[in-house]
Amino acid sequence: RKTMASASTRTLSRALPVGASAATIVGLASFFDGRSKGAEKAQHDTTKPRHTREAVSLLFSGGQRSPSPWRTSAAFALCEAPVPAAPAKYQPKDPAEPVSDPPTVVSNADDSSRLNGGMKKAEEGSYHGLFPARQLWRPNLEYPLWDPNWDGRRPPPILQGDDDGIAESRQRERYIRKNGVTRHIILIRHGQYDETHKEDSKRLLTPLGRRQAELTGRRLGEMIRGAGEEFGPCRVRVVRVSNLARAKETAGIIYENMGLEDLEGGDAVVLADPDPLLNEGRPCHHIPGGPARPSVVERTDEQHPRIEEAFRKYFYRADAPKPEESESEVEKDDATEASEDDKSKPKHEFEIIVCHANVIRYFFCRALQLPPEAWLRLCTFNCSLTYLTVRPTGTVSCRMLGDIG
């Protein structure tokens, strides 16, 4: 045994780096000698592997602890973990290189799957134990990509793949952006109402709620009439409303206080018939939130398709203008865009919708292509304004959210 320990000590002294102490060499040799005699006992000793790693780390790092001991010697190459390849360095694209459009989404307004709103009925299981996976909204393109055909009204792509086709596509895009109509959608939550009754016919506005509606009507009237020649009148086409009593009462008071009696003909604002699609409900599940009860799952199945249908009914880009002139004539008219004919063309259309908080928050997320399950993170006050614009090219932006200024 003394001879074996002496031989082990000599072998380790040659293998270890310069500077290792004699006590350390003898101790490690004794440890390995003990391992050879008591292999069966050492298999049940869970402290041995940890001490072994610490000893090897100290020895092969010259007494300094190494953050990666298994990479310090070829003797332990078999113990090394695979090293992942370094990620490729980001290289920005050449600005002169043509940019390919995102994949187009073909939509059919008569397709019943559109009313399912991106929820896959055939999907099984649960989503992180919160609700059925089939009730999770699935976008056409993964977040945060923008779906350019979200409303199914994007002009069909030009199939030419050469430079002429790319140039023609850009020319058409510029023409639509310049000559198309921007849609302005103003969503208004109803005023404060009496929540002590279960019957909808008795859930009417409180005195404060009626006052809220009066002030909101005056504010909208000022917006419609404009603040002068520079900020001229807004072309409001219609005031829409849900079929619940509190919303209908709010819409009536707003309409009466807008002061639009002097508007006639094409400038007249119409108060549309109530639309049950805009009624309050549960548009989808919300995150964060606990596991959904069976009654909540059932209510989501019942009310989500209706609210999604309302969104698709009222949120869309205006029809693309059809160019009636050649490209050269269009370029000539660029310098005379502010002609009287151009001024007479409506480039903006406004629409007011009086409805409910859950519906408004869902519309907000869907219009901006945000996860609809975030709707409960937003807040809208009674008679507040949520203002969204849909440009001729299909892009959407928010100008107000729950504004009560």
Side-chain angles (χ1 to χ4, degrees):
R1 290 180 57 191
K2 290 181 179 180
T3 302
M4 292 177 62
S6 173
S8 300
T9 303
R10 288 195 299 272
T11 302
L12 286 169
S13 66
R14 289 194 297 269
L16 296 176
V18 178
S21 65
T24 302
I25 297 173
V26 173
L28 187 60
S30 301
F31 173 77
F32 283 123
D33 182 53
R35 289 282 292 179
S36 65
K37 293 191 304 178
E40 181 178 356
K41 181 179 179 181
Q43 290 178 355
H44 303 285
D45 190 352
T46 59
T47 64
K48 295 296 184 184
R50 179 173 62 83
H51 293 318
T52 301
R53 289 194 296 270
E54 291 181 358
V56 171
S57 173
L58 290 172
L59 289 170
F60 285 95
S61 61
Q64 300 296 325
R65 290 189 178 272
S66 170
S68 183
W70 301 111
R71 301 178 57 82
T72 57
S73 173
F76 297 96
L78 296 177
C79 299
E80 289 186 345
V83 180
K89 186 177 180 181
Y90 170 73
Q91 294 291 343
K93 290 187 176 182
D94 185 355
E97 182 180 346
V99 180
S100 58
D101 289 337
T104 58
V105 181
V106 180
S107 302
N108 184 354
D110 297 329
D111 186 358
S112 60
S113 64
R114 281 170 54 85
L115 301 184
N116 194 32
M119 293 186 178
K120 310 301 180 183
K121 291 184 177 181
E123 193 161 349
E124 299 179 352
S126 68
Y127 183 72
H128 295 275
L130 297 175
F131 49 81
R134 61 179 175 80
Q135 291 185 332
L136 176 69
W137 175 268
R138 304 285 185 179
N140 289 322
L141 298 178
E142 65 176 342
Y143 300 114
L145 294 177
W146 178 264
D147 179 6
N149 196 33
W150 59 273
D151 57 351
R153 297 169 67 92
R154 187 189 189 195
I158 297 174
L159 300 180
Q160 288 178 274
D162 53 10
D163 293 341
D164 292 338
I166 296 175
E168 187 176 350
S169 297
R170 291 176 176 173
Q171 176 69 20
R172 183 180 64 179
E173 191 83 359
R174 285 195 297 268
Y175 184 87
I176 292 175
R177 186 184 302 111
K178 186 175 182 179
N179 298 277
V181 175
T182 298
R183 301 189 66 242
H184 301 252
I185 303 173
I186 301 177
L187 304 169
I188 303 176
R189 187 188 177 191
H190 56 78
Q192 186 191 68
Y193 69 103
D194 185 355
E195 301 182 51
T196 60
H197 301 281
K198 292 185 177 181
E199 300 88 348
D200 178 65
S201 59
K202 297 181 180 179
R203 308 184 85 178
L204 302 176
L205 298 184
T206 64
L208 175 59
R210 289 191 289 271
R211 179 61 175 164
Q212 291 170 340
E214 291 175 5
L215 295 175
T216 302
R218 295 179 187 177
R219 180 184 182 187
L220 289 172
E222 294 175 356
M223 291 175 58
I224 293 174
R225 289 188 296 273
E229 295 182 0
E230 184 178 358
F231 301 97
C234 301
R235 187 174 181 269
V236 178
R237 297 172 54 248
V238 64
V239 176
R240 305 188 185 279
V241 61
S242 84
N243 197 38
L244 296 184
R246 56 188 182 274
K248 290 188 288 187
E249 185 179 5
T250 301
I253 297 174
I254 288 176
Y255 189 79
E256 293 174 357
N257 286 271
M258 290 168 68
L260 306 178
E261 296 81 3
D262 54 338
L263 299 180
E264 299 178 355
D267 295 331
V269 181
V270 178
L271 179 60
D273 294 332
D275 186 355
L277 292 178
L278 295 169
N279 287 3
E280 183 66 302
R282 183 180 181 83
C284 64
H285 295 288
H286 56 80
I287 299 176
R293 301 186 303 274
S295 60
V296 174
V297 173
E298 182 179 353
R299 194 159 69 249
T300 303
D301 279 335
E302 175 187 352
Q303 298 176 355
H304 168 78
R306 169 181 61 81
I307 299 175
E308 173 64 19
E309 183 180 357
F311 171 79
R312 295 185 182 274
K313 181 178 180 180
Y314 295 117
F315 280 81
Y316 55 87
R317 76 192 78 186
D319 293 333
K322 297 180 180 180
E324 300 177 355
E325 302 169 314
S326 65
E327 183 176 334
S328 59
E329 290 174 330
V330 171
E331 292 176 352
K332 288 180 182 179
D333 287 346
D334 286 348
T336 58
E337 182 182 3
S339 64
E340 292 300 325
D341 292 338
D342 289 336
K343 288 183 179 180
S344 63
K345 293 179 181 179
K347 297 294 179 66
H348 298 271
E349 290 184 353
F350 289 75
E351 192 165 314
I352 298 172
I353 301 178
V354 181
C355 54
H356 308 269
N358 293 359
V359 176
I360 292 173
R361 291 180 283 187
Y362 178 78
F363 285 177
F364 176 90
C365 292
R366 285 283 288 111
L368 298 179
Q369 297 191 21
L370 303 175
E373 289 79 12
W375 64 271
L376 198 56
R377 305 174 200 174
L378 309 174
C379 181
T380 58
F381 298 98
N382 293 116
C383 281
S384 62
L385 275 61
T386 299
Y387 182 175
L388 297 159
T389 60
V390 183
R391 296 184 180 87
T393 54
T395 58
V396 183
S397 63
C398 173
R399 297 190 176 184
M400 299 179 188
L401 171 63
D403 186 84
I404 52 175

